[in-house]
Amino acid sequence: MPRLVIDEREIEVPEGTKVIDAAEMLGIVIPRFCYHEALGSIGACRMCAVKFLQGPFKGVQMSCMIDARDGMVVSTTDEEAVQFRKRVIELLMKNHPLDCPVCDEGGQCLLQDETVSSGHGVRLFPGPKRTYRDQYLGPYIKHEMNRCIHCYRCSRFYQEFCGYRDLGPLQIGDRMYFGRFSDGALESPFSGNLVDICPTGVYTDKTARFKLRRWDLERAPSLCNQCSLGCATVANGHYRGVMRVEARFDSEVNGYFICDAGRFGFSYSNGGEGRRERPLGPKMAGAPASGPIALAGAREALENIAAKYGPEAIGAVGSDRNSLESQCMLALVCKTRGWLGPVFFSDPVVRRKTLAAVEALDGELAVSMREIAEADFVLVAGADPLNEAPMAALALRQAARKHAPVVVIDPRSIRLPFDFEHFPASPEEIEKYLGTLLRMAVEKDVAGLGKEGEEFFRATGFENFEPPAEMARLSELLGSSKRPVILCGTDVSVETTPAFAAECARLLRISGKQAGLFYLLPGAGSFGAALLSETAEKTFGSLIEDIENGVVRALVVAESDPFHFYPDRDRLERALSKLELLVAIDYFPSETVRRASIFYPASTIFETGSTYINQEGRVQFAQPVHRGGAPIRGGQHPPRVYSGLVPGGDHLPAWKVLWQIAGMAEEIAGGHGDISPQNFIPAALPAFDGLGAERGYPVDGPRLFAAKPGFRGKGGSAGGIGGERGEDPESFDLLMVEWMFGTSEFSAWSDSLDAALCAPYMSMNSRDAARAGLRDGDRVSVELDGGTFEIEVCVSDRTAGGVLVVPRHQALDWQKMKDFPVRVSAEKIRKI
Amino acid sequence: MEFDYPRVLFKNRKPDRVATLEEYRESGGYEALQKFVGGRVSPKEVIRLVSESGLLGRGGAGFPAGMKWSSVPDSSPFPRYLVANADEMEPGTFKDRVLMHVDPHCIIEGMVLAAYSFSASKGFFFVRPSYESSAHILERELEIARKAGFLGHRILGTDFSFDIVVHRSGGRYICGEASALLNAIMGKRPNPVKPPPYPTEKGLWEKPTVVNNVETLANIPHILRNGPEWFKGLSATGHGAGTKLYAISGRVSRPGAVELPIGTRFSEIIDEHCGGMAPGARFKACLPGGASTRFMTGEHYDIPMDFEDLKKIGNRLGTAAIMVFDHNTCLLGATLNLMEFFARESCGWCTPCREGLPYMLELLRRIENGEGREEYIPNLRILCKQVWNSYCALAPGAAEPVISLLDFFEDEVRQHISEKGCPFHAKAGH
Amino acid sequence: MLPDELKLKLREVIAGAESPREKAIDVMFEIQELQGWMSDEAMVEAAELLGMTPLELEELATFYDYIYRSPVGKYVIKVCDSTVCWLEGHQRVVDYLSGRLGIPLGGTSADGLFTLLPVCCIGYCDRAPAMVINKRVFGNLTPEKIDRVLGQLAEKADFSGSE
Ligand SMILES: Cc1cc2nc3c(=O)[nH]c(=O)nc-3n(C[C@H](O)[C@H](O)[C@H](O)COP(=O)(O)O)c2cc1C
Ligand code: SF4
Ligand code: FES
């Protein structure tokens, strides 16, 4: 570990630390433009010049280009270095327009800061300024090339870090230009990070353009709840609206970046126009009601139902977008009041898969995204990282950049921004591929695997399976890897796969590797839901039956919309209309909300403190950003039309509404005053106490595991299912899948995401398509039990045979099936 | 010619055509190949002989050739590559072109021997667009060499294989910089890359790669055939080694490329080998080693033109391209012209060069056009210092003429400012 | 659309490389040989052949001096404007050509035959002033020599090889 002196202070840093980072460890932030920790150094801007006084380097040198070494004495304040940096600023400002007053970057501009701190004020250069033509880069990013200081951060982030190839450096010399081949939307779903990473205002957030100034914003550390990864964000509120979302650094989770769904998918919180207008006032029987009246009304109605039919006639429904607070309150209410539930999952298989994942994850196996980036072999089983958890795809790319092989076993024609091996296996075959690859990799070590290991190992020997030729090479690489990671999804895989994947990871550990396991779960709240639904076997599907049978008479639905996920819409409608009471608590203007007998508005993640446990068990807290609520915008300030709406609205955190309508005030907190999640979360989830005892509430960062470490040797079907599905070429498994844009509830209610949507299509294997007489681009109707939907066909060699892959797209009327799994016979697909 | 120096690289020079393979062989060509590759002499021995010869790279930096080859680690992976740098885009430099037109086989043989020394299997000639005729010649002669068994698969029946292709550049000065050149060959943007790693460890496609100037390579067969001592003895000074191709242009009677013992005095080069100054022209200054060296005044008219001697006076031999300016030349104008070149050719990677050179250009242009101000002079000095700390050597090279202009001809510059215009303008036609 | 024979030839060129991108310049030169310049459509097609995105090819095309991304005449006359040619009167050459062709520096003649451009040192300083037409160099320029060259060019359509 080299020891060096920077500005007369000594520091010891890890081998390979750049001087610029060593200084930062001392709290000395050396000016820089091109250097970015995530991108590494290129020495282009020359802004980080410092003077080396002693050691192997001498004189003014770039601190980003030199590794700290023993005996170095460095000065950041040496006059020569200071003057050099000042001149760099002068050179950059030679062409930079002084448009700070109309630049969205103003106030958060690195160039502005460095210019001011360098003391540069007067432009001595007598010539004219250079100008460029800007390009149209799509709906999210505004391009203003005149502001460019040519630091290369954008193109390096875009191409090297993310692996997209439509934005880069053009021209030469002082005509250098960063842009696309021609005008058009950026292809990368990580393009929003350009806004954060550009040290000046070349790329600004179009959705926030001319709306705000950094210093006017209410800013708070928040979380993205659009998928199960829980990336760290900074949310910016202003005038009761969320103005923009930026990435927040989190070394373990998302690093410096977030995806575009996370960045731009916030506008539901502000509400849109028409059908997307956010419901901010309570309603009873469809008519506006004041907050206290609605709460009292709901409470009374629920008490009546309980009195009439017993408390178990009230079903409590949550979701995977619930915060842990809401989930715990739901669990607590059910426990104390005797309501049925809580029900967090719609499909029993998904529930069991999620539970299996949560049960399998222990402190030994669970890896973070940072650790994925450092893996030297990654096996992706039944997961589509880019669509299900976009930032995981970026983490995989970082591993791939360091030459880690990435093997994807999945029925979909997976796309990832790097080269990888793809085995298009049907869901039933995933374990077969995974198990075989693993078997071939550790075959030699079988003796050392222990009894259970050997047994499990024997069970993974899939009979009659001829592994594809590439597998030999890949298994060798896996065999020689040191830090392999298995990334397992819970969406298309069969029920046993998550547990099977865990056992595979354990086996790799037994064979001496630092193996890790990383699950993708259905939603931000899935982990918490799994922890809390361990005892409640119910799913929404069984609840529907209970309603139909007259067992359940009332539903309390908190931040959940069955109309979004339930596969049989007709049946759902019939069941809901049979209810005597439907209480909905939400921030979306959902169909459930529209049909509720009593509605109470919930606060969004931006308006209330919320805890989420991400898919690796990390408990994270999103601070409230602003009060939110009734918007103040275009011409409505002050509101000119009288309305009953309280400024800011009546919205409350969903858990608080639940607490009130369940009449829990008496039970908890002594029947008066307020209540804090600090009190009720541990009551519902005792493990929580262990995490934050000394910290108290909120808890942010530690991991919570349900599983005990150790090999169980019983995961999955272990050879049971492999290839068992009847080889019936005349019918297909219908796989309903997630897309990055267009399938989530957030994307349904955030008009800001509309621009990123593309039309849904159904992918199928080319041989299947040929047999069915279909060609790429054909439009077909697909007949299901409850009706048909129409969709375009996309034919691919990389889609597994025997499956039809369809997104749960908001533009697709797909909820016409009885239940999952669905098989579609060939004659039910007709070309139109 | 009246001086009887041994001619090595230009031995087969014909007034109007390229030397053929036969002519080259008659003069001893491919003997070294026979002896060292054919005889399976240890590659280490090749490196030792070249190191001992004291051959310094002819591409501008004067790096010892043997040392470069030996820096390819023995354990490093294959394939390994060798690149002959024939980019030669620095204003005033054209010796490599003449060499390629004179005796291409001596470069080819040199490449095979160099490749043999560190087990390279593929070579590239990197050629600029305006040298299409050279590219054409090279491709033709490469095929001839291949047919003769001197190149390609199993050279001379041994198990050593090495082949060469011509890589055409799209034309940019920065492509001549070794690391940028490698990017160019790989089809990437030709920005330079700072070591570590050095190209000899990770060059083309992350494999060991040596880049040498074509003149450097052309010397190899002769060194190996005649021995290091012979090579050292060619020098006109005690410390230099070999002959040197000097490319003289500008206001002399007979511009052109000449081969002379390295360290031949400047006065002799101009007066004897170039027929003296052009009629009516008096020597004012020259750039002794290409566009990125300092102006040299008459004070050093007698200097031996060798790496060391020029270093002693704070200058550089560079590419030994001598541009001669006469008393009627406005050196500010010449500097302005050079700066136009450098600013246009900056690759745009780093701030001092991308922004600093156009800055200097603007100031120089204003002074030349009579819009100069006194403060431009100190500002130019600061800029010269600033660009010294650029990413690669292009910008520091670009500053050399400017800073030496201010060092030696500041009065002339001031005259432009005080007279609000170029004092030479009326006199000369430019 | 690139003609099929050309595509065939380009595929061959690319096949001989260590990696396809290595041949980016050759491919563009071949296309320019036939079409004069790299149109957007040509860029897209060439990029595809090279396994690059159009942007990636554009990164190279716009870097280099001898790749034309806007239409040029059949003969691109580039007059060297670097130091030695400057010293030896490149301006006179430019003026003369400009007058003869009736186009300013940067212009293309109405008949689409000639484009006049400046170029940095072409390595023929011993024969200054010099110019390069397409890839052929002409040195020691005098008005008479220029007339002769232009005359020849206007006559014969085919133009390849070197001086
Ligand atoms: C901007 C720049 C341009 C260069 N151009 C050339 C060139 O055209 N030909 C050349 O041989 N070396 C050129 N060099 C030097 C090369 O980087 C490298 O040092 C040389 O090719 C090594 O060959 P040598 O060791 O045989 O001299 C250039 C260097 C710089 C910084
Ligand atoms: S000094 Fe900088 S900008 Fe100039 S050529 Fe070198 S790397 Fe490029
Ligand atoms: S930060 Fe070091 S050169 Fe840009």
Side-chain angles (χ1 to χ4, degrees), chain C residues 65-86:
Chain C
D65 211 13
Y66 283 74
I67 308 290
Y68 311 115
R69 284 289 279 115
S70 34
V72 287
K74 185 171 171 59
Y75 302 114
V76 181
I77 305 178
K78 293 180 156 187
V79 184
C80 174
D81 67 357
S82 287
T83 324
V84 183
C85 289
W86 165 82

Side-chain angles (χ1 to χ4, degrees), chain B residues 174 192 346-350 353-354 390-392 394-395:
Chain B
I174 190 64
S346 160
C347 81
W349 181 256
C350 66
C353 177
R354 184 188 61 246
S390 293
Y391 188 80
C392 83
L394 185 144

Side-chain angles (χ1 to χ4, degrees), chain A residues 42-46 60-62 65 80 83-84 87-88 90-92 94-95 124-128 130 149-150 152 169-176 403, chain B residues 172 174 189 191 194-195 206 343-356 358-360 362-363 366 376 379 382-383 385-387 389-391:
Chain A
I42 56 165
C45 74
R46 317 307 275 178
V60 174
Q61 303 270 359
M62 301 310 128
M65 293 292 280
E80 201 187 332
Q83 282 307 318
F84 183 86
R87 296 290 296 201
V88 171
E90 187 193 343
L91 291 178
L92 294 173
K94 171 175 150 263
N95 280 308
L124 294 175
F125 179 68
R130 162 183 68 207
I149 56 166
H150 303 94
Y152 281 83
L170 303 168
Q171 302 283 351
I172 177 175
D174 69 339
R175 279 104 55 220
M176 280 272 312
H403 308 293
Chain B
R172 278 300 175 193
I174 190 64
R189 274 174 73 86
N191 295 116
K194 266 235 165 94
E206 309 256 288
R344 189 156 67 190
E345 296 299 309
S346 160
C347 81
W349 181 256
C350 66
T351 310
C353 177
R354 184 188 61 246
E355 306 292 346
Y359 197 150
M360 289 200 234
E362 180 77 19
L363 297 185
R366 281 174 185 256
Y376 290 179
N379 205 351
I382 294 174
L383 281 161
K385 223 176 134 203
Q386 177 90 357
V387 303
N389 214 327
S390 293
Y391 188 80

Side-chain angles (χ1 to χ4, degrees), chain A residues 20 30-36 41-49 62-65 151 153, chain B residues 351 391:
Chain A
I20 195 170
I30 298 173
R32 85 279 309 267
F33 290 118
C34 65
Y35 182 74
H36 188 287
S41 29
I42 56 165
C45 74
R46 317 307 275 178
M47 191 61 205
C48 64
M62 301 310 128
S63 58
C64 74
M65 293 292 280
C151 69
R153 272 194 196 182
Chain B
T351 310
Y391 188 80

